[in-house]
Amino acid sequence: MGTAICGRCGAWVNDRAWRCRSCGRLIPGVFGQRRLLDRIFSTSRAHARVLLVALVVLYFFELFLSSVTGFGRQGGEMHIDPLPVGEVRAGALLPWDEEHARVLLEEGLGVRGQNAVGKSTSEEPWRLGSAMLLHGGVVHILCNGLSLLSLGAFVEAVFGPARFWTIFTLTGLAGNVGMLVFGDPYVFGLGASGGIFGLFGAILGWSMRRGGTFGLEVRRQLLRSLVLNVVISLLPHVSFSAHACGFVSGFLMTWVLQIPDVRSGRESDRARFVGLFCVALLVVSAVLAFVSAARWGR
């Protein structure tokens, strides 16, 4: 048992109390979990770097799976870019329809046999989350990593670390759903760019809401980078629909999450619980991808 500060009125309360005696807020001390939230979403930690480390670890996981699964490579041979079959085994986004997924895997990737074939996203919905943590090559993860560090640092400082995780995760999911709905039904997808474009959209929406000289300068700097990224989105083998859906959802999320024009102090309990849910969603998706990869061919 300890004390906490009510998030509504600022009064000191028992962290196990059901209601604040001053304003009546329900569970003002979050039953002692506020300290845990403070540790998880500490502002002394660069959360974008934490995410980038996770992406790099999973990239090596793709390379390992490519070396032990790959067709046309000698056993144990390692390359700097993963094979498509290794990416699919690691948890890449497959077509939603089972028939489309079967055609892609058997005819497009040369994977034969029911025991060695991954399933469609409708059968394995966790791929919507795991796919945003994977990348198709060194250039792919390098470009996304640099963008993530620059945009993530701004979002963490202005919106807060919990909202950074929320925006990246939800817009990444929106980008993957957009690819399934509007993209080619006979291709698979992977990459963090849906969530990165979501960060773009959120910053743009925030700068428009904030206005003033600072908001205008942020918008100018952002639009310069956005033009280059839009051009990249139009290149072959790049999912424009995933980028567009991630960007639009990030732009709208500025209003949905009620991101303040100026943040002072720690984020609200609600924002941090939503962020915790999003982090857990990514972790569960990655764990299920590991389990699925281990069972491949059995």
Side-chain angles (χ1 to χ4, degrees):
M1 183 183 298
T3 57
I5 298 177
C6 176
R8 177 185 294 172
C9 67
W12 285 96
V13 295
N14 185 319
D15 61 10
R16 302 288 179 178
W18 279 94
R19 287 189 178 274
C20 174
R21 293 183 178 181
S22 299
C23 67
R25 180 181 180 178
L26 185 65
I27 316 179
V30 202
F31 286 115
Q33 302 307 309
R34 188 169 285 150
R35 296 192 188 107
L36 176 63
L37 294 175
D38 287 342
R39 288 195 294 269
I40 294 175
F41 298 111
S42 172
T43 55
S44 63
R45 184 185 305 113
H47 291 257
R49 292 183 182 178
V50 173
L51 177 57
L52 181 57
V53 169
L55 298 183
V56 172
V57 170
L58 288 171
Y59 184 76
F60 280 103
F61 178 59
E62 292 177 72
L63 292 177
F64 169 75
L65 292 179
S66 296
S67 68
V68 298
T69 316
F71 306 115
R73 288 184 183 174
Q74 296 179 354
E77 184 180 355
M78 183 74 75
H79 286 226
I80 62 172
D81 292 339
L83 277 177
V85 67
E87 296 163 2
V88 169
R89 183 175 178 181
L93 186 69
L94 290 173
W96 183 265
D97 182 78
E98 296 177 21
E99 181 62 23
H100 291 164
R102 185 192 64 79
V103 172
L104 168 66
L105 291 164
E106 294 188 358
E107 299 182 11
L109 301 182
V111 182
R112 303 286 180 179
Q114 290 296 324
N115 293 331
V117 175
K119 300 179 180 179
S120 65
T121 299
S122 62
E123 296 177 288
E124 297 178 333
W126 49 264
R127 289 181 179 272
L128 288 167
S130 62
M132 72 175 73
L133 303 175
L134 306 175
H135 290 85
V138 172
V139 175
H140 191 194
I141 193 172
L142 180 62
C143 293
N144 278 353
L146 292 175
S147 297
L148 178 63
L149 289 178
S150 59
L151 294 172
F154 183 88
V155 169
E156 287 183 54
V158 178
F159 300 169
R163 290 190 177 96
F164 161 75
W165 287 105
T166 299
I167 293 171
F168 175 81
T169 303
L170 297 185
T171 58
L173 290 174
N176 285 342
V177 170
M179 179 181 176
L180 291 176
V181 175
F182 303 108
D184 188 337
Y186 292 101
V187 300
F188 69 93
L190 73 172
S193 51
I196 291 173
F197 269 82
L199 298 178
F200 265 116
I203 296 173
L204 179 62
W206 174 85
S207 66
M208 293 177 62
R209 285 185 55 192
R210 190 182 192 281
T213 304
F214 182 69
L216 179 61
E217 184 58 29
V218 169
R219 192 157 61 250
R220 285 176 177 173
Q221 295 291 336
L222 190 70
L223 290 175
R224 293 170 187 169
S225 300
L226 189 59
V227 170
L228 175 61
N229 282 273
V230 170
V231 173
I232 293 175
S233 301
L234 298 175
L235 295 176
H237 309 298
V238 178
S239 177
F240 178 81
S241 57
H243 292 183
C245 289
F247 179 83
V248 172
S249 61
F251 183 84
L252 296 176
M253 203 166 290
T254 305
W255 283 268
V256 173
L257 296 180
Q258 299 178 349
I259 298 176
D261 295 342
V262 179
R263 185 175 70 89
S264 59
R266 61 188 176 190
E267 298 169 272
S268 66
D269 295 329
R270 180 176 61 181
R272 294 193 293 177
F273 273 118
V274 173
L276 185 62
F277 171 80
C278 290
V279 172
L281 189 64
L282 292 177
V283 172
V284 169
S285 298
V287 170
L288 291 176
F290 274 101
V291 172
S292 176
R295 297 177 60 186
W296 182 279
R298 295 182 181 178

